[in-house]
Amino acid sequence: MFDRKVPTYKVLRDREACTNCGACVRQCSYGVHRIDEQSGKLVADHGACVNCQRCVLMCPPRAIAITKWPQVGTGSAVWTPDHMKDIAKQARTGAVLLSSMGNPEPYPTYWDHLLLNASQVTNPSIDPLREPMETRVFLGSRPVALRVNTRQHAVISDMPPQLRLDVPIMFSAMSFGSISLNTQRALALAAEELGTYFNCGEGGLHPDLERYANNTIVQVASGRFGVNPQYLNNAAAIEIKIGQGAKPGIGGHLPGEKIDGEVSRTRMIPEGTDAISPAPHHDIYSIEDLRQLIFSLKEATRYRKPIAVKIAAVHNAAAIASGMARAGADIIVIDGFRGGTGAAPKRIRNNVGIPIELALAAVDERLREEGIRSTVSLVVSGTIRDSADIVRAIALGADAVSIGSAALIAIGCHQCGDCASGRCNWGIATQDPALTKRIHPQSAAERIVNLVRAWNKEIEEMMGGMGINAIDSLRGNRLMLRGVGLNQKELDILGVKHAGE
Amino acid sequence: MFFREDRPREGVVRIPSGCAIAGIMDRSGGRHDGTDILRSIALMHDRGNGLGGGFAAYGIYPEYKELYAFHIMYECQEARAQTEAYLDTYFMSEKQERIPTQDVASIKNPPDIWRYFAAPHPMRLNMSGFDEAEYTMQHVFHINSHIDGAFVASSGKDMGAFKGVGYPEDIGAFYRIEDYQAWAWTAHGRFPTNTPGWWGGAHPFTLLNWSVVHNGEISSYDANRRYVEQFGYRCNLQTDTEVITYLFDLLTRRHGFSQQMAAHIMTAPSWDEIDRMDAPCAAFETALRSVYASALVNGPFSVILGSEEGLLAINDRLKLRALMVAEHDRMVYLASEQAAIEVVCPEAASIRSIEGGVPFVVQLDEVVAREQGASGENIQLEAPLAHEIGVLPPRRKEVDHVRS
């Protein structure tokens, strides 16, 4: 009886509206809904519900709503029901708690404390409907100064390879295995349509996606799944994943039951075996080792592809990023502690790392102090929730951002946070063919394209309001930001003034 | 004292301003007194509000043309003593004197203004590892950031800036600019949005041989500032003019581009235009835009840049500020308003407005002749970056100011 867990959610069913059609039964992979044999009525197993809201939205007469289980705690601010539930679960299983999606704890979100500027009188705002508004960004390393022949219009300097982004938004790394192939297809199609890039994550690149090579960033992570010369060359850029915002300092573990035929072929590991990414790269124990891996990859791709290095935002991110730039990384990617994940130990996700806003500001400032900011590109991810967050990120110093959760939400994800179970009712974080077919790649891609186009329009509107017509002039332009409700230390780290100053 | 301690001055706050600008140049190098430029800028009286005016003149000190001419403003005796001791250490001064001025009723509390004709101390220059220009620039930065009450108004050779708080025509009379003979003049009348009343904050802004007069408020200011500060420039005044000057200095003196190319980089062609170019041109422009993305200047501006080569006029890419040009014989006239050209040269033909993003360049005939044989390749100065020589990151004057 100790192990009887208190449900988190309660399924409310409007008996008057319900037609007993059974759609909810068919939609729910968790088996929450069933028809009671005796009464012939629909009943719910509340404890199994994860609040993914699939049944709510699929119920034809709109008879279902999910609410919180009404049981209250004792009122203690210390021993909350959540803490007690976790303790009970661990007492039962003796295991590390697993969680999915981004850190839900109420840490400060600095985006919400940064306000944007607009032109009044002394300079005109620019109307993006009437004037050209440029959001094209190039990512890659660059010389400090360019040598050219002006007469012949020729570049004399060796220009390192550059990634061209028509919108300052890419898709974060999400591997096949953690998400379905249909979801990756949707991201690839959207990236191609938008002139940007999706990232196949560390799970290899499925042959079906090879034709999107020009819009693909392939990842080399500590598990090295699916890495071979063909994989490396079948991409626009390569990303070395050192860390991930949701789980800094630890590796990954895709359980054997998720390694079906397709995933096994793509990851190049036997079917049914666990796919384990070690915590560190075992050939990178220090910064000079990173340099060797960067240059091994550059050699393998004949210096034709930019190499990105991704780290989680941790306390010493600024110094690490500077070291990465000096080690030869062309693009520095920083993932904040609220970034999403398919699976991460709950304590790690909820407690390790720092907010992306502070890490970004510190990294950008450090690179500038050392005079190398213009020689390297900076990409951030981990809770980019809307276009204003992107404008803030770029004004703090980012070249571009990556979105993961937002792209998934666009195609159905409801942030229930149960990706790790592999039973995603929206067909995203699952390999069950009955569920993955719920994602139609073309229509899902269309939704992602719509989202990014809408955001890009909003970015243009906000830039125009500031009197800026090229995103280059927004990058690092911290005067366009003002803090509200921040203390002096926070303002100093962010490098912004307080509103009213 | 000429500024009140309780009011924030230039550099402590960022002050947007509108302005009138004008420039007159004789391509052949013939020298003219300041009468015409004074009349031209005076006509645009209403574009300023009496809180700043100034002139830059090229070719005014031919007898000292090998020496740096420092125009320095002092708020107090101590500042002068301290600055002169500093200059004595790092430079060898050939001549120093008070700049002659004339009382003008509307000019209140002018600072004590001196000029020095000096050469870098040869041994210290040698030990610094810098070339002469960089050495001089660093010392100018030092005086402006660290000596309270002293401000270097100009630091070029055979040129000088004459500026202060007041309407430009009054400032011109105060400095007796009709007594100077120059082959190029630029002028500025300022309309700051609040009242710092600081002489150092008036324009033209100058550095070495550069002088910049500017009308506008650039929206890319902080992006540009943080870009140039990587290379050891210190944006103490927080003005657009200052950062534009440093961008020109970085791109031409350090990166070796022509002034025209520097202006082209700062007002780069749009991606739409680049996409329509043939492949080699598009690759060339794309490389420039990606390497110099942070040197792109955005928002409304019209600028006249003066240098030992001549004048360059540039407008923002969208042409959000007025700037007219006219040529007559060997003379070239630039001004915010057409009338300001016509008042000094009614016979000027082909008065036209300068196009957005297309630099207008006028060089001395001798410079044109010299550059005809040039290769078109830019040769970069191999100056070490600040962090490589252990110089601490730049600190801002206002921080010192507030703390002291």
Side-chain angles (χ1 to χ4, degrees):
Chain A
M1 93 158 260
F2 266 75
D3 287 350
R4 295 291 302 237
K5 96 178 205 228
V6 177
T8 311
Y9 302 107
K10 185 177 171 74
V11 180
L12 303 179
R13 199 182 311 270
D14 181 343
R15 292 284 174 199
E16 276 181 27
C18 176
T19 59
N20 263 12
C21 70
C24 49
V25 181
R26 290 188 296 279
Q27 289 298 331
C28 185
S29 67
Y30 291 86
V32 172
H33 305 275
R34 68 185 164 82
I35 294 175
D36 185 68
E37 282 176 11
Q38 285 184 336
S39 65
K41 279 185 174 174
L42 277 163
V43 293
D45 173 5
H46 303 286
C49 178
V50 296
N51 191 21
C52 75
Q53 299 166 45
R54 179 81 185 182
C55 59
V56 175
L57 294 166
M58 288 296 169
C59 173
R62 299 255 179 228
I64 303 173
I66 311 293
T67 185
K68 272 190 165 176
W69 190 257
Q71 178 60 52
V72 297
T74 58
S76 165
V78 181
W79 294 106
T80 61
D82 271 353
H83 278 116
M84 289 162 62
K85 206 181 285 176
D86 284 350
I87 287 172
K89 201 189 267 181
Q90 290 188 296
R92 184 172 72 238
T93 61
V96 167
L97 292 172
L98 210 54
S99 63
S100 302
M101 294 318 297
N103 189 341
E105 298 295 318
Y107 292 105
T109 300
Y110 286 94
W111 300 134
D112 296 335
H113 295 269
L114 292 168
L115 297 175
L116 307 175
N117 193 27
S119 304
Q120 300 287 295
V121 182
T122 53
N123 66 357
S125 43
I126 302 167
D127 184 347
L129 296 175
R130 292 183 174 78
E131 304 284 353
M133 197 54 76
E134 302 184 323
T135 56
R136 189 182 297 179
V137 172
F138 282 86
L139 300 181
S141 59
R142 282 134 212 176
V144 175
L146 197 65
R147 276 204 71 203
V148 298
N149 188 316
T150 324
R151 295 237 164 106
Q152 294 162 1
H153 288 271
V155 180
I156 300 168
S157 306
D158 288 329
M159 195 60 190
Q162 304 285 315
L163 280 189
R164 173 180 150 179
L165 279 68
D166 288 334
V167 290
I169 304 163
M170 299 189 288
F171 303 123
S172 306
M174 289 177 277
S175 69
F176 175 39
S178 76
I179 59 170
S180 63
L181 190 55
N182 276 350
T183 307
Q184 276 202 339
R185 279 196 186 103
L187 291 167
L189 278 165
E192 188 181 46
E193 174 73 22
L194 291 162
T196 184
Y197 302 85
F198 86 103
N199 188 318
C200 74
E202 62 169 315
L205 187 67
H206 192 276
D208 285 6
L209 300 176
E210 283 177 4
R211 62 198 175 99
Y212 304 105
N214 292 338
N215 299 92
T216 307
I217 296 175
V218 293
Q219 207 177 48
V220 173
S222 61
R224 303 287 153 86
F225 299 116
V227 176
N228 63 19
Q230 191 197 342
Y231 172 78
L232 296 177
N233 283 290
N234 223 318
I238 301 166
E239 179 174 276
I240 299 172
K241 176 194 172 185
I242 300 293
Q244 182 179 342
K247 40 181 171 178
I250 65 162
H253 182 173
L254 193 65
E257 57 259 33
K258 292 192 188 175
I259 314 286
D260 63 8
E262 290 295 307
V263 175
S264 132
R265 265 191 296 285
T266 309
R267 294 210 173 208
M268 299 180 183
I269 52 168
E271 227 170 294
T273 55
D274 288 2
I276 294 177
S277 304
H281 285 245
H282 283 298
D283 53 359
I284 304 180
Y285 285 178
S286 73
I287 190 80
E288 65 271 20
D289 296 342
L290 174 67
R291 185 179 179 81
Q292 290 201 357
L293 180 59
I294 290 173
F295 280 89
S296 303
L297 295 173
K298 286 190 177 183
E299 287 285 339
T301 52
R302 308 251 174 241
Y303 294 85
R304 286 192 196 119
K305 302 187 191 301
I307 309 291
V309 181
K310 173 177 172 176
I311 58 162
V314 290
H315 301 180
N316 206 17
I320 297 164
S322 156
M324 281 152 57
R326 292 178 196 286
D330 300 308
I331 304 167
I332 293 172
V333 183
I334 304 176
D335 194 21
F337 84 142
R338 290 184 305 257
T341 178
K346 188 171 179 180
R347 292 293 160 249
I348 302 276
R349 182 195 69 174
N350 291 6
N351 297 288
V352 183
I354 62 170
I356 188 60
E357 304 89 329
L358 302 180
L360 163 60
V363 167
D364 178 70
E365 188 58 31
R366 176 68 63 89
L367 294 176
R368 283 172 197 270
E369 280 170 6
E370 300 194 10
I372 54 175
R373 175 63 188 89
S374 333
T375 65
V376 66
S377 297
L378 187 54
V379 174
V380 297
S381 55
T383 51
I384 300 292
R385 304 158 306 170
D386 57 36
S387 55
D389 287 350
I390 298 174
V391 171
R392 293 178 180 111
I394 292 173
L396 281 178
D399 287 275
V401 302
S402 286
I403 57 169
S405 300
L408 299 186
I409 291 169
I411 60 173
C413 169
H414 277 70
Q415 295 286 303
C416 69
D418 200 50
C419 319
S421 73
R423 287 188 291 174
C424 175
N425 273 322
W426 294 96
I428 297 168
T430 176
Q431 303 305 323
D432 180 345
L435 298 173
T436 58
K437 72 176 185 200
R438 292 179 178 177
I439 293 280
H440 181 258
Q442 275 78 19
S443 24
E446 202 180 311
R447 290 180 65 84
I448 300 172
V449 169
N450 283 345
L451 173 76
V452 173
R453 291 229 166 107
W455 282 12
N456 207 56
K457 285 234 154 50
E458 292 174 336
I459 293 171
E460 291 178 354
E461 291 279 355
M462 285 182 262
M463 279 181 7
M466 296 171 185
I468 287 174
N469 65 3
I471 202 153
D472 305 313
S473 301
L474 178 63
R475 187 176 314 119
N477 196 337
R478 296 188 185 174
L479 265 187
M480 291 298 165
L481 300 174
R482 286 291 189 277
V484 275
L486 297 175
N487 66 35
Q488 191 55 49
K489 192 72 189 172
E490 291 167 321
L491 293 168
D492 289 346
I493 293 167
L494 291 165
V496 300
K497 294 179 173 180
H498 201 276
E501 272 191 284
Chain B
M1 271 303 84
F2 68 94
F3 89 95
R4 282 171 43 189
E5 282 287 349
D6 55 348
R7 264 195 242 160
R9 75 184 193 185
E10 203 97 29
V12 180
V13 289
R14 190 168 141 72
I15 298 159
S17 50
C19 311
I21 60 176
I24 297 177
M25 173 170 157
D26 184 332
R27 295 170 191 273
S28 68
R31 302 196 302 145
H32 307 265
D33 69 30
T35 319
D36 276 0
I37 193 74
L38 199 59
R39 281 169 60 213
S40 180
I41 196 76
L43 185 97
M44 297 185 283
H45 180 89
D46 282 357
R47 297 181 73 94
N49 62 0
L51 292 173
F55 302 84
Y58 289 86
I60 51 175
Y61 300 129
E63 61 274 35
Y64 299 108
K65 64 193 300 181
E66 302 305 320
L67 300 175
Y68 286 98
F70 296 113
H71 285 195
I72 306 184
M73 304 172 170
Y74 298 116
E75 292 170 12
C76 55
Q77 270 307 120
E78 297 75 34
R80 179 154 80 92
Q82 215 179 327
T83 307
E84 288 182 351
Y86 186 82
L87 283 178
D88 274 347
T89 313
Y90 293 99
F91 291 86
M92 309 223 303
S93 187
E94 181 101 0
K95 178 179 180 177
Q96 60 191 67
E97 63 185 355
R98 203 167 249 127
I99 292 180
T101 55
Q102 178 179 310
D103 284 348
V104 175
S106 59
I107 303 289
K108 312 278 189 229
N109 295 326
D112 192 9
I113 308 163
W114 284 67
R115 66 183 157 212
Y116 304 83
F117 298 97
H121 189 290
M123 201 172 69
R124 288 184 192 277
L125 170 64
N126 210 359
M127 279 161 47
S128 71
F130 292 130
D131 65 6
E132 193 185 83
E134 189 73 25
Y135 176 90
T136 306
M137 185 180 97
Q138 294 298 339
H139 288 299
V140 170
F141 282 160
H142 181 92
I143 294 172
N144 287 347
S145 339
H146 293 105
I147 303 182
D148 260 347
F151 188 82
V152 181
S154 64
S155 54
K157 290 179 176 176
D158 197 12
M159 63 83 70
F162 304 95
K163 61 184 188 177
V165 175
Y167 281 102
E169 56 272 26
D170 297 338
I171 293 291
F174 170 79
Y175 280 107
R176 296 164 47 179
I177 64 162
E178 67 281 5
D179 293 350
Y180 294 88
Q181 298 283 326
W183 53 260
W185 284 97
T186 61
H188 189 263
R190 196 163 186 229
F191 197 132
T193 48
N194 49 13
T195 55
W198 183 43
W199 283 58
H203 296 176
F205 181 82
T206 74
L207 175 74
L208 302 176
N209 284 346
W210 303 113
S211 70
V212 170
V213 288
H214 153 77
N215 170 23
E217 183 190 341
I218 58 174
S219 46
S220 57
Y221 172 78
D222 217 32
N224 302 139
R225 171 185 73 84
R226 299 181 74 229
Y227 174 66
V228 298
E229 285 196 343
Q230 290 187 92
F231 308 109
Y233 296 94
R234 295 175 205 173
C235 295
N236 286 324
L237 295 182
Q238 299 192 46
T239 59
D240 297 347
T241 317
E242 180 185 46
V243 83
I244 288 171
T245 308
Y246 295 162
L247 281 172
F248 270 113
D249 187 62
L250 176 72
L251 293 172
T252 56
R253 194 172 58 78
R254 291 207 188 164
H255 291 188
F257 291 105
S258 66
Q259 291 178 14
Q260 187 165 6
M261 203 57 201
H264 178 74
I265 288 170
M266 289 157 66
T267 56
S270 70
W271 291 117
D272 282 348
E273 286 170 63
I274 293 173
D275 290 345
R276 286 194 298 269
M277 293 175 181
D278 58 52
C281 270
F284 175 73
E285 296 293 351
T286 302
L288 282 173
R289 274 203 73 168
S290 29
V291 172
Y292 294 108
S294 300
L296 182 73
V297 183
N298 226 305
F301 66 90
S302 58
V303 162
I304 303 173
L305 171 82
S307 72
E308 72 280 9
E309 292 181 8
L311 300 182
L312 178 146
I314 180 88
N315 255 152
D316 62 272
R317 305 196 298 172
L318 296 179
K319 182 68 184 170
L320 296 170
R321 280 288 189 273
L323 188 56
M324 307 294 290
V325 60
E327 287 163 271
H328 179 67
D329 196 12
R330 61 209 168 105
M331 302 298 292
V332 177
Y333 299 90
L334 294 154
S336 299
E337 291 179 13
Q338 182 166 348
I341 295 176
E342 285 170 343
V343 71
V344 288
C345 185
E347 60 280 358
S350 71
I351 298 190
R352 61 195 185 276
S353 87
I354 286 176
E355 276 180 62
V358 183
F360 173 84
V361 180
V362 47
Q363 292 176 316
L364 283 173
D365 292 338
E366 56 180 77
V367 176
V368 175
R370 193 170 68 219
E371 285 197 353
Q372 251 154 14
S375 74
E377 289 185 21
N378 58 324
I379 295 158
Q380 289 145 19
L381 200 67
E382 302 270 330
L385 292 172
H387 68 276
E388 291 170 338
I389 50 173
V391 175
L392 288 172
R395 283 175 66 204
R396 297 167 143 278
K397 190 172 188 175
E398 74 267 22
V399 177
D400 297 336
H401 193 74
V402 169
R403 280 183 189 151
S404 60

